Amino acid sequence: MRLQISRLFEMLYILLERERVTAPELAGRLGVSVRTVYRDAQVLCEAGVPLYAERGRDGGIAILPTYKLSKSVLSDAERREILASLQAMAQTGASQTDTLRKLRAFFGGAIEDWVQIDFADWSGQRDALVATLRDAILSRQMLAFDYYGESGQRTQRRVCPLRLWFKGSAWYLAAYCTQRKALRTFKLTRIKRAKPVQEPFPPEADACVPRLSPPQVDEQIMESFELHIDGCMAYRIWDDFEEEEITPLENGNYLVRASFPPGAWTASLILSYGEHAQVISPAALRNRIAEKIRKMHILYQT
């Protein structure tokens, strides 16, 4: 009985999606005889589904085009929202396109291709990593990989992957690390050679799930600074800073007042502007940048 119900729904999906389908084609797709197809069509008719048959070379079994399975449950806006959300999830690989096809047939509407998500970097090598992480999270499978920390040291990690996060301009993996025996966040660009491990999740990993939250920075330790940046770098400024942090100057240049997490990343960002950015304050950051420039000068003199 359960097999027949599944087959009836599959027939309904096909007929909702197509204008008409021949009985032999339906039989081939459903893996049954033509006689069974006609018998199933009769069952659907008795259930109130308006099917009809057309004879001739272009004939077949069809469903009235005005019929929609979801008339009374959801509004048009709710159906559009569900389809748009599933379409976005399908772009990430977290939702099957077949499921999307079936729901589109149910709702009787087209899907707007409103978003395109590509996890791959420009080298095309990182797409495989995201697929590996996705499969491990959904199947609750442990992972082993090499990880490069901020100091550049490579360590081998064995983790229980729990969730992917996008924060700022980077993707992160939240996972329970079996070496550290704690919840840890790993930047995807630093994960190398990830592979599944055939081991079950320990109970401690499940205990971490209620504590999951995106990476945060304590506002009290944020490093505030002021920069003068040449106008020729405008294309970069609007990428790196928020609108309220940027003050256009009369000479065409910019004054930037921002706060970033302390560490090497802030200095690297400023230095990436080369001769087109100058630290105004604080003095400690200005001196740190000057020292790095001095060392670079020595490096290029040798």
Side-chain angles (χ1 to χ4, degrees):
M1 184 66 173
R2 182 176 299 177
L3 181 61
Q4 183 192 25
I5 292 173
S6 177
R7 190 175 66 245
L8 290 172
F9 270 106
E10 183 64 25
M11 179 187 289
L12 191 53
Y13 299 147
I14 296 169
L15 294 173
L16 283 167
E17 195 174 37
R18 298 270 299 277
E19 184 174 347
R20 64 176 58 84
V21 186
T22 65
E25 182 182 350
L26 281 171
R29 293 186 61 173
L30 299 173
V32 296
S33 66
V34 172
R35 183 177 178 180
T36 300
V37 166
Y38 283 117
R39 188 166 57 242
D40 286 347
Q42 181 62 35
V43 172
L44 288 173
C45 285
E46 292 174 356
V49 179
L51 299 183
Y52 64 96
E54 292 184 340
R55 297 183 181 276
R57 188 177 66 178
D58 297 327
I61 299 175
I63 189 170
L64 288 178
T66 56
Y67 178 76
K68 294 180 178 62
L69 199 60
S70 60
K71 285 183 179 178
S72 61
V73 180
L74 298 170
S75 67
D76 289 341
E78 289 169 333
R79 290 197 293 270
R80 286 196 302 270
E81 185 176 347
I82 290 173
L83 289 175
S85 298
L86 278 176
Q87 195 261 340
M89 293 303 293
Q91 290 288 333
T92 70
S95 175
Q96 297 296 323
T97 54
D98 191 51
T99 303
L100 194 58
R101 176 184 67 82
K102 291 176 179 178
L103 277 179
R104 179 181 58 204
F106 268 145
F107 293 161
I111 298 175
E112 296 294 336
D113 191 11
W114 70 281
V115 63
Q116 184 73 34
I117 301 173
D118 188 354
F119 284 103
D121 59 352
W122 291 110
S123 70
Q125 298 178 8
R126 201 170 299 150
D127 191 41
L129 171 62
V130 174
T132 299
L133 297 178
R134 178 200 64 212
D135 293 344
I137 292 171
L138 295 177
S139 62
R140 291 175 52 80
Q141 190 170 43
M142 289 185 63
L143 286 175
F145 54 76
D146 293 337
Y147 188 72
Y148 287 88
E150 289 188 358
S151 63
Q153 181 182 7
R154 185 180 69 181
T155 58
Q156 293 181 333
R157 300 298 184 98
R158 189 177 291 249
V159 307
C160 303
L162 301 174
R163 191 169 296 169
L164 282 180
W165 279 321
F166 184 80
K167 179 75 173 180
S169 58
W171 283 96
Y172 298 87
L173 170 68
Y176 176 79
C177 179
T178 58
Q179 286 98 321
R180 304 293 190 268
K181 298 190 181 302
L183 185 65
R184 289 289 184 268
T185 301
F186 302 93
K187 198 170 185 178
L188 261 59
T189 51
R190 300 177 186 170
I191 295 176
K192 308 298 178 184
R193 292 169 289 280
K195 59 182 180 181
V197 177
Q198 300 300 326
E199 292 182 13
F201 273 29
E204 309 90 85
D206 294 322
C208 289
V209 174
R211 304 199 307 270
L212 284 175
S213 60
Q216 301 292 334
V217 176
D218 188 345
E219 294 185 0
Q220 295 182 351
I221 63 171
M222 294 285 279
E223 185 173 36
S224 299
F225 55 85
E226 288 187 341
L227 297 177
H228 271 161
I229 302 179
D230 292 345
C232 65
M233 302 300 289
Y235 72 99
R236 282 275 317 270
I237 295 172
W238 302 103
D239 286 342
D240 294 333
F241 303 100
E242 296 298 327
E243 184 178 23
E244 58 270 17
E245 297 173 333
I246 303 169
T247 302
L249 303 176
E250 291 183 359
N251 60 4
N253 296 333
Y254 296 88
L255 174 66
V256 172
R257 296 184 178 94
S259 297
F260 283 180
W265 189 87
T266 301
S268 297
L269 174 67
I270 295 172
L271 286 171
S272 70
Y273 281 85
E275 72 274 19
H276 300 296
Q278 181 184 21
V279 177
I280 305 304
S281 66
L285 177 61
R286 182 181 174 91
N287 293 337
R288 196 161 82 236
I289 297 296
E291 178 62 16
K292 289 182 178 293
I293 294 173
R294 185 186 68 80
K295 290 180 178 179
M296 291 171 61
H297 179 67
I298 294 174
L299 177 66
Y300 281 92
Q301 280 185 324
T302 58

